[in-house]
């Protein structure tokens, strides 16, 4: 086992419970803004989370509920507009203080910084969403604490593909064996594991029934253990 040199965090569901009360209402506001009769309730949105990526989620939903729209040559442009509107609504919700970090997250980040362990992010959410959440919950300087932020469409294949973690590792200049991923979902765990990372899972409100058998550890939240216990975990086997 190698000494831990970097923590790589997922964002949605891992840093904060953003899905139900952040992204979901932001999608619904974007749909209403564009005159669409679509509304994602909590249960339907939970099902849609099996699809990673906001634009991908819109396309998947249209394929199920509005196939005629999916076949429209203008639909790809509509997806871009919807997603941009959704991001703007989400950023406003976050800036208004609607979302808080999950228990133990701020403490772990602070402990890692004190210990000289590098921080990184690997997420499918957009860079604007990441920046807004970090600033609203940790302060305006927080984005600068992360050596690498891999977000959005920076890689073509999203989780559960390993691409985003491989991209982050390359820019950290570290092997997977020196890093630990922190995720909340089965798709995220698969992404990290395929990239060769050990992964600590903190179960979120939408992922409780998922398969985490490949995880190095599974917790309800990071407050269950001390930051020191997390930082004592090695990287990959």
């Amino acid at each position: 086992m190698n000494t831990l040199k970097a923590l790589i965090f997922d964002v949605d569901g891992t840093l904060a419970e953003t899905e139900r009360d952040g992204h979901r209402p932001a999608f619904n506001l974007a749909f209403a803004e564009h005159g669409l009769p679509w509304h994602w309730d909590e249960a339907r949105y939970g099902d849609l989370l099996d699809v990673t990526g906001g634009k991908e989620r819109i396309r998947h939903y249209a394929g199920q509920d509005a196939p005629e729209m999916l076949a429209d040559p203008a639909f790809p442009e509509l997806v871009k507009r919807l997603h941009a509107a959704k991001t703007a609504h989400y950023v406003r919700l976050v800036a208004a203080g609607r979302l808080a970090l999950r228990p133990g997250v701020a403490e772990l980040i602070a402990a890692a910084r004190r210990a000289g362990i590098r921080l990184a992010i690997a997420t499918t959410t957009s860079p604007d969403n990441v920046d807004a959440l970090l600033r609203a919950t940790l302060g305006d300087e927080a984005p600068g604490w992360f050596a690498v932020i891999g977000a959005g469409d920076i890689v073509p294949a999203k989780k559960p593909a390993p691409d985003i973690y491989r991209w982050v590792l390359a820019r950290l200049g570290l092997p997977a064996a020196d890093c630990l991923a922190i995720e909340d979902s089965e798709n995220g765990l698969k992404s990290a594991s395929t990239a060769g990372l050990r992964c600590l899972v903190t179960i979120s409100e939408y992922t409780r029934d998922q398969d985490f058998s490949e995880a190095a550890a599974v917790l309800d939240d990071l407050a269950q253990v001390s930051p020191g216990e997390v930082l004592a975990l090695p990287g990959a086997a």
Side-chain angles (χ1 to χ4, degrees), residues 54-214:
K55 292 186 288 293
E56 292 82 358
R57 207 165 290 146
I58 293 169
R59 286 192 287 267
H60 178 78
Y61 176 81
Q64 292 183 323
D65 287 57
E68 71 288 350
M69 290 185 66
L70 189 64
D72 189 329
F75 186 66
E77 184 57 35
L78 174 61
V79 171
K80 291 179 183 178
R81 294 200 308 273
L82 285 170
H83 193 259
K86 173 260 175 184
T87 297
H89 286 299
Y90 175 84
V91 167
R92 283 194 288 273
L93 289 171
V94 171
R98 292 276 296 272
L99 299 169
L101 293 179
R102 293 187 62 192
V105 169
E107 293 81 1
L108 177 57
I109 288 172
R113 295 183 70 213
R114 288 193 299 271
I117 292 172
R118 299 167 74 190
L119 301 171
I121 282 173
T123 181
T124 60
T125 200
S126 73
D128 287 347
N129 291 344
V130 177
D131 187 78
L133 182 66
L134 293 177
R135 290 180 188 275
T137 57
L138 292 168
D140 285 339
E141 302 300 318
W145 300 347
F146 291 81
V148 179
I149 295 180
D153 297 324
I154 204 161
V155 293
K158 295 186 177 179
K159 300 174 184 179
D163 301 38
I164 189 64
Y165 277 106
R166 288 174 176 164
W167 188 93
V168 169
L169 287 169
R171 278 145 189 84
L172 284 172
L174 292 173
D178 290 345
C179 306
L180 178 72
I182 302 180
E183 281 278 357
D184 76 302
S185 70
E186 185 177 352
N187 278 337
L189 170 60
K190 288 178 179 178
S191 176
S193 297
T194 305
L197 289 150
R198 281 170 61 88
C199 184
L200 170 65
V201 169
T202 60
I203 301 170
S204 65
E205 56 193 4
Y206 276 123
T207 66
R208 191 156 299 278
D209 297 326
Q210 295 181 5
D211 179 8
F212 298 126
S213 56
E214 293 183 16

